[in-house]
Amino acid sequence: MNFLLNGVRVTRDDAQNIAELIECLALAPETTLVEQNGVALQRRAWPNEKLWEGDRIEILRVAAGG
């Protein structure tokens, strides 16, 4: 499946939904924000949000600091 991930075209067949994608990328869900095709997704919805050919996925990592 081909989609844009943070503006870069990627091909991945190891994830069928957002939750699986986050897991495959080894990201901590607690510090990760995801937008799919311009819509911010709540973490509890990730398992139900399927990845589709041509999706635009933006992933942000939240970090504390000062």
Side-chain angles (χ1 to χ4, degrees):
M1 172 179 333
N2 297 300
F3 55 92
L4 290 177
L5 178 60
N6 290 352
V8 177
R9 182 156 308 281
V10 297
T11 300
R12 296 200 71 118
D13 292 321
D14 55 353
Q16 299 301 309
N17 60 49
I18 297 296
E20 291 176 4
L21 178 62
I22 297 303
E23 184 177 327
C24 290
L25 295 173
L27 299 174
E30 304 80 27
T31 59
T32 303
L33 301 174
V34 179
E35 187 178 276
Q36 184 178 27
N37 300 319
V39 177
L41 302 176
Q42 294 184 356
R43 190 178 323 140
R44 67 177 178 252
W46 292 357
N48 299 321
E49 295 298 334
K50 295 198 181 298
L51 288 169
W52 300 97
E53 188 78 24
D55 268 351
R56 292 181 339 268
I57 307 296
E58 296 291 329
I59 296 177
L60 299 172
R61 305 277 316 272
V62 178

